[in-house]
């Protein structure tokens, strides 16, 4: 036996060694270098015949090369080697550039820099090595928050604290499911400080934007830049480039001679705040056209005409515009220049000078200056609810540096303060923005709605005659962008068979509704046997008691005999739905036999499905013999169920109305 095993082992060893090894291609890095300095096009594939992606890459931009493709179409001008690169400006995240326009570079792994990485978790290191290569003179400081990452996310995920923008319902996958109402198929957008296009972000989305590792790239690293003024690094022209395309690029401050770029730069210089940050923040708050707080004239609030609020300071609560203008009035910002300068002063005083001196820290209140972290409060002092503000503002800041310095910007001595947390997950990817809703709206079997169907309930059972070979299942969805599988003609094979109906959301999430089949010999049951087999409620002497709504009556009968036909009608003889009242009728038909049972709701003596003072008076009058109750109404008045309507029944009705006790059905 051992000899046979040795032979098998040797054969396996030879076979494994005959398989050629597969090597992962080495990741390379480089900078875009073009003869005219205008950058290069990014293609959809490795060749000039492919279409271009976005606006391409600018001169000097850093790229990550995933793999190489050699091509040769026989022309002298054709690019012979193409690089497949990460290209975050498109959804696929992939693009191709000709290698002729790429200058390869080595990632800096010098001993001194490697030593500085020890203050960061290992998961930060690769990205920081790349950033150090891009910005060799920058300083990367680890800020130890001393906080648990998941605790931070949970606190920031409280509904309304962290919002995302969505103007056309194209980002439902990023929204908090606790804000979703399946009855209307809508997410809430009524959060204080938000507006009609602002929604509560999901916990997974918040985790993505809180995780610093997701933004350790050439542009977004500026959300971690120290927000102090630098005469050598900042300029009026750099501010102007950030404002380009907005009303602040063409208009003058207060209609005078000063440009917005000049006033913003001067404010930064005066209070020692990075003016690129101020410009990005103002642009974030006012937009490219004048927002409601910087128009100067306010028809709804004429008392604030001539006042401005460029930073949305104090613009929270249920009336953002009023509160923001009231803050401007309070601070005396009765000119555009005063509003810009005064807001800069407050940001410096209230945020930058108390440790929230990066864009990131102004959104996420996770800094603490005390030795004992338990002595600090967190998640309260946050400048904005928009979780994407640091992301968008960091891009604007980058553009400001790029405009002033060109490729020289990469040599500036930036200081980046990057937070570190305890117990960070391996990764926090951004969820798909596609719609996540996968609920059914209706579910029918052979044309009849499944008993007690509810969109949130995913488990049902149906009873079928044992001679049924197949059924037809139909269903509709709440969200039209989702799809259904498992419906149609279904073959019935055995008792206990589970039929899955799968709803797939636009984002790929699946929800399975299960229907369990129970087989019965119902075809042999007559009306009397059916009535005697009913297990829920009591069907006796022409009355039905113990059941308070239409769905429970239907289920009680069809559970006993799936072939029984049952219809519930109200006091006017119309088919009823929802709650039932005394005097409603349950009409049951089995084959050629029929029976009618009057509904009795103890305490409801007038058939309006409620127990009120009117019922109390009817019971009282019956006892006093000033009027007489009969039939189902008399039975409903006998709350104590002792076949006698007396003072005890009156007291039980009274206590039910007062809420001190409840009448049992």
């Amino acid at each position: 036996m051992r000899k046979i095993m040795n032979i098998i082992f040797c054969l396996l060893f030879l076979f494994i060694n005959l398989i050629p090894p597969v090597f992962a291609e080495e990741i390379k890095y480089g900078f875009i270098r073009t003869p005219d300095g205008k950058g290069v096009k990014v293609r959809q594939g490795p060749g000039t015949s492919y279409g271009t992606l976005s606006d391409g890459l600018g001169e000097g931009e850093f790229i990550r090369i995933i793999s190489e493709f050699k091509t040769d179409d026989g022309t002298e001008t054709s690019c012979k080697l193409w690089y497949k690169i990460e290209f975050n400006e498109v959804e696929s995240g992939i693009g191709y550039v000709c290698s002729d326009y790429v200058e390869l570079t080595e990632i800096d792994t010098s001993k001194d820099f490697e030593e500085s990485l020890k203050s960061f978790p290992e998961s930060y290191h690769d990205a920081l090595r790349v950033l150090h290569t891009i910005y060799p003179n920058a300083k990367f400081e680890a800020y130890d928050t001393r906080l648990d990452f998941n605790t931070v996310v949970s606190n920031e995920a409280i509904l309304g604290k962290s919002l995302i923008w969505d103007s056309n319902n194209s980002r439902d996958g990023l929204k908090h499911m606790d804000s979703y109402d399946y009855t209307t198929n809508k997410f809430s957008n009524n959060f204080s400080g938000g507006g009609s296009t602002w929604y509560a972000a999901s916990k997974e989305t918040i985790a993505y934007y809180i995780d610093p590792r997701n933004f350790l790239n050439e542009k977004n690293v500026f959300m971690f830049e120290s927000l102090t003024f630098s005469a050598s690094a900042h300029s009026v022209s750099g501010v102007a480039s950030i404002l380009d395309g907005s009303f602040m690029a063409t208009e003058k401050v207060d209609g005078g001679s000063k440009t917005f770029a000049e006033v913003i730069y001067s404010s930064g210089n005066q209070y020692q705040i990075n003016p690129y940050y101020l410009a990005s923040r103002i642009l974030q708050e006012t937009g490219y056209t004048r927002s409601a707080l910087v128009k100067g004239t306010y028809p709804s609030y004429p008392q604030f005409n001539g006042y401005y609020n460029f930073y949305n300071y104090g613009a929270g609560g249920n009336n953002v515009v009023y509160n923001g203008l009231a803050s401007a009035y309070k601070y005396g910002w009765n000119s555009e220049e005063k509003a810009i300068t005064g807001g800069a002063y407050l940001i410096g005083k209230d945020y930058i000078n108390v440790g929230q001196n990066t864009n990131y820290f102004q959104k996420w209140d996770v800094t603490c200056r005390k030795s004992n972290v338990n002595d600090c409060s967190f998640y309260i002092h946050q400048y904005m609810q928009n979780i994407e503000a640091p992301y968008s503002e960091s891009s604007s800041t980058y553009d400001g540096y790029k405009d002033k310095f060109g490729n020289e910007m990469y040599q500036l001595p930036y200081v980046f303060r990057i937070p570190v947390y305890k117990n960070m997950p391996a990764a926090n990817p951004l969820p798909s923005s596609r719609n996540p809703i996968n609920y059914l709206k209706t579910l029918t079997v052979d044309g009849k709605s499944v008993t007690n169907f509810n969109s949130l309930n995913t488990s049902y059972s149906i009873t079928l005659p044992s001679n049924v070979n197949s059924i037809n299942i139909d269903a509709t969805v709440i969200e039209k962008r989702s799809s259904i599988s498992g419906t149609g003609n279904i073959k019935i094979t055995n008792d206990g068979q589970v039929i899955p109906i799968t709803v797939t959301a636009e984002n790929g999430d699946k929800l399975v509704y299960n229907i369990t089949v129970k087989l019965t010999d119902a075809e042999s049951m007559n009306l009397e046997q059916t009535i005697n087999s009913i297990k829920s409620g009591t069907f006796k002497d022409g009355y039905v008691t113990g059941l308070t709504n239409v769905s429970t009556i239907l289920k009680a009968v069809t559970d006993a005999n799936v072939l029984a036909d049952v219809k519930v009608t109200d006091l006017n003889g119309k088919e009823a739905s929802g709650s039932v009242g005394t005097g409603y009728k349950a009409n049951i038909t089995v084959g050629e036999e029929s029976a009618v049972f009057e509904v009795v709701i103890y305490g409801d003596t007038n058939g309006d499905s409620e127990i009120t003072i009117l019922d109390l008076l009817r019971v009282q009058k019956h006892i006093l013999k000033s009027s007489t109750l009969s039939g189902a109404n008399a039975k409903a008045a006998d709350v104590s169920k002792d076949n006698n309507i007396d003072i005890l029944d009156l007291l039980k009705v009274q206590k039910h109305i007062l809420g001190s006790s409840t009448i049992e059905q």
Side-chain angles (χ1 to χ4, degrees):
M1 182 66 180
R2 179 182 292 179
K3 185 174 181 180
I4 294 173
M5 290 301 296
N6 286 337
I7 292 172
I8 293 173
F9 176 79
C10 291
L11 289 173
L12 284 172
F13 180 80
L14 289 171
F15 176 74
I16 291 171
N17 282 275
L18 287 173
I19 300 174
V22 178
F23 297 101
E25 294 193 60
E26 180 184 359
I27 299 297
K28 297 180 180 179
Y29 302 90
F31 293 93
I32 297 299
R33 301 291 186 222
T34 54
D36 57 7
K38 294 183 179 180
V40 67
K41 294 178 180 178
V42 180
R43 300 281 181 176
Q44 296 173 347
T48 55
S49 61
Y50 289 91
T52 58
L53 295 171
S54 188
D55 295 326
L57 290 165
E59 177 70 15
E61 287 199 49
F62 185 84
I63 61 172
R64 186 173 186 265
I65 302 165
I66 302 171
S67 58
E68 300 177 353
F69 287 85
K70 293 182 179 180
T71 60
D72 189 355
D73 60 7
T75 64
E76 294 182 2
T77 58
S78 174
C79 179
K80 302 299 190 296
L81 179 65
W82 288 81
Y83 289 144
K84 182 180 181 181
I85 66 169
E86 287 186 344
F87 191 57
N88 295 327
E89 294 182 29
V90 294
E91 186 174 355
S92 66
I94 298 297
Y96 297 81
V97 296
C98 177
S99 64
D100 295 348
Y101 306 113
V102 178
E103 177 187 296
L104 296 178
T105 186
E106 295 292 330
I107 297 300
D108 189 344
T109 56
S110 62
K111 183 178 180 180
D112 289 343
F113 184 69
E114 290 297 309
E115 187 67 25
S116 71
L117 290 179
K118 291 182 179 179
S119 57
F120 290 95
E122 182 69 31
S123 58
Y124 286 63
H125 289 189
D126 285 344
L128 289 173
R129 290 184 182 109
V130 172
L131 281 171
H132 180 56
T133 302
I134 300 172
Y135 302 108
N137 297 315
K139 183 178 181 181
F140 300 93
E141 297 179 351
Y143 178 83
D144 185 3
T145 64
R146 297 173 286 172
L147 298 174
D148 178 83
F149 183 83
N150 294 306
T151 300
V152 173
V153 172
S154 295
N155 280 277
E156 294 290 359
I158 297 172
L159 286 182
K161 181 182 284 290
S162 301
L163 306 180
I164 60 165
W165 178 81
D166 184 16
S167 63
N168 59 0
N169 297 319
S170 63
R171 311 179 76 196
D172 289 340
L174 305 182
K175 298 170 186 175
H176 206 304
M177 284 302 298
D178 286 353
S179 69
Y180 175 74
D181 183 351
Y182 79 94
T183 63
T184 61
N185 191 29
K186 291 182 179 179
F187 289 88
S188 298
N189 57 355
N190 58 348
F191 299 102
S192 176
S196 61
T197 58
W198 292 92
Y199 298 83
S202 71
K203 193 171 183 179
E204 294 76 17
T205 303
I206 292 168
Y208 171 81
Y209 281 101
I210 289 178
D211 190 340
R213 298 168 299 183
N214 290 324
F215 307 100
L216 297 179
N217 58 62
E218 180 181 354
K219 286 189 176 183
N220 300 128
V221 70
F222 284 93
M223 71 170 65
F224 309 114
E225 182 191 12
S226 177
L227 299 179
T228 54
F229 179 83
S230 171
S232 62
H234 304 136
S235 69
V236 174
S237 63
V239 175
S241 71
I242 294 174
L243 303 179
D244 186 41
S246 74
F247 70 94
M248 292 174 283
T250 56
E251 299 180 24
K252 296 294 178 66
V253 176
D254 296 314
S257 60
K258 295 181 181 178
T259 66
F260 279 90
E262 289 171 339
V263 172
I264 293 172
Y265 178 85
S266 176
S267 299
N269 188 3
Q270 181 178 354
Y271 298 114
Q272 291 299 290
I273 302 173
N274 184 333
Y276 295 174
Y277 155 71
L278 292 178
S280 300
R281 173 56 50 82
I282 289 173
L283 193 61
Q284 177 74 38
E285 302 295 352
T286 66
Y288 283 83
T289 57
R290 287 181 178 271
S291 70
L293 295 179
V294 294
K295 291 185 180 297
T297 302
Y298 313 100
S300 298
Y301 311 106
Q303 69 270 37
F304 298 133
N305 285 347
Y307 285 83
Y308 302 85
N309 191 337
F310 279 85
Y311 302 90
N312 284 2
Y313 229 94
N318 294 323
N319 193 329
V320 172
V321 175
Y322 177 86
N323 292 335
L325 291 173
S327 292
Y329 183 84
K330 169 186 173 183
Y331 293 119
W333 295 342
N334 58 357
S335 73
E336 292 178 325
E337 185 167 2
K338 286 182 181 179
I340 293 171
T341 303
Y345 164 74
L346 290 180
I347 290 175
K349 178 177 73 72
D350 294 343
Y351 289 91
I352 295 175
N353 295 334
V354 297
Q356 291 177 264
N357 59 349
T358 69
N359 249 320
Y360 180 95
F361 288 140
Q362 288 189 21
K363 167 54 193 154
W364 310 112
D365 179 13
V366 293
T367 61
C368 177
R369 290 189 167 191
K370 298 178 181 179
S371 58
N372 187 344
V373 72
N374 295 322
D375 293 335
C376 289
S377 59
F378 300 98
Y379 328 117
I380 300 172
H381 191 247
Q382 300 186 158
Y383 191 91
M384 73 287 279
Q385 292 166 282
N386 177 11
I387 66 174
E388 296 175 294
Y391 170 81
S392 58
E393 291 177 22
S394 61
S395 294
S396 296
T397 300
Y398 170 90
D399 291 340
Y401 282 118
K402 190 75 170 179
D403 181 80
K404 179 183 179 183
F405 297 102
N407 291 335
E408 295 301 317
M409 72 167 287
Y410 300 111
Q411 305 303 317
L412 295 178
Y414 308 104
V415 175
F416 298 114
R417 302 181 71 232
I418 304 168
V420 171
Y421 298 93
K422 297 177 181 177
N423 303 317
M424 295 187 72
N428 288 290
L430 183 66
S432 168
S433 61
R434 296 179 181 274
N435 188 280
I437 305 305
N438 48 17
Y439 294 122
L440 283 179
K441 184 177 183 179
T442 62
L443 180 60
T444 62
V445 176
D446 290 335
K448 293 183 179 180
S449 178
V450 172
T451 304
N452 290 332
F453 174 76
N454 182 296
S455 298
L456 304 183
N457 181 16
T458 58
S459 296
Y460 300 92
S461 63
I462 58 173
T463 303
L464 301 173
S466 57
N467 62 348
V468 170
N469 296 318
S470 65
I471 58 174
N472 188 272
I473 296 178
D474 190 25
T476 61
V477 290
I478 287 177
E479 172 52 56
K480 63 182 180 181
R481 287 171 284 186
S482 61
S483 60
I484 307 174
S485 62
T487 57
N489 191 266
I490 307 298
K491 185 177 181 180
I492 303 303
T493 59
N494 61 280
D495 183 37
Q497 177 180 348
V498 177
I499 304 171
I501 311 299
T502 303
V503 185
T504 304
E506 184 189 28
N507 71 351
D509 288 350
K510 297 181 185 297
L511 183 65
V512 179
Y513 291 78
N514 289 312
I515 301 176
T516 301
V517 175
K518 297 179 180 178
L519 298 180
T520 179
D521 292 327
E523 64 271 14
S524 64
M525 296 176 66
N526 60 26
L527 178 62
E528 182 180 358
Q529 291 171 324
T530 298
I531 302 301
N532 292 336
S533 299
I534 296 175
K535 297 179 180 179
S536 298
T538 301
F539 290 74
K540 185 178 180 182
D541 299 332
Y543 296 110
V544 53
T545 58
L547 301 175
T548 59
N549 57 66
V550 172
S551 62
T552 55
I553 293 174
L554 298 180
K555 186 177 189 306
V557 177
T558 55
D559 278 353
N561 184 351
V562 70
L563 297 180
D565 183 43
V566 56
K567 182 171 69 172
V568 179
T569 56
D570 62 18
L571 299 180
N572 297 315
K574 295 181 179 180
E575 190 164 358
S577 62
S579 299
V580 294
T582 296
Y584 280 41
K585 292 180 173 61
N587 305 272
I588 304 173
T589 300
V590 178
E592 300 297 324
E593 300 178 287
S594 296
V596 178
F597 292 83
E598 276 195 273
V599 173
V600 172
I601 302 297
Y602 289 106
D604 172 28
T605 62
N606 63 357
D608 64 358
S609 308
E610 297 179 351
I611 302 173
T612 66
I613 189 68
L614 295 177
D615 298 301
L616 183 70
L617 291 173
R618 287 166 67 90
V619 174
Q620 184 184 51
K621 288 181 178 181
H622 181 89
I623 296 171
L624 296 174
K625 298 183 179 180
S626 60
S627 66
T628 302
L629 296 173
S630 61
N633 291 329
K635 190 171 182 64
D638 181 18
V639 178
S640 59
K641 305 178 183 66
D642 61 358
N643 297 318
N644 186 35
I645 302 173
D646 54 23
I647 191 67
L648 293 178
D649 299 302
L650 186 69
L651 290 174
K652 283 180 177 290
V653 174
Q654 183 183 50
K655 287 181 179 181
H656 180 95
I657 295 171
L658 295 174
S660 59
S661 65
T662 301
I663 295 175
E664 293 184 4
Q665 298 301 322

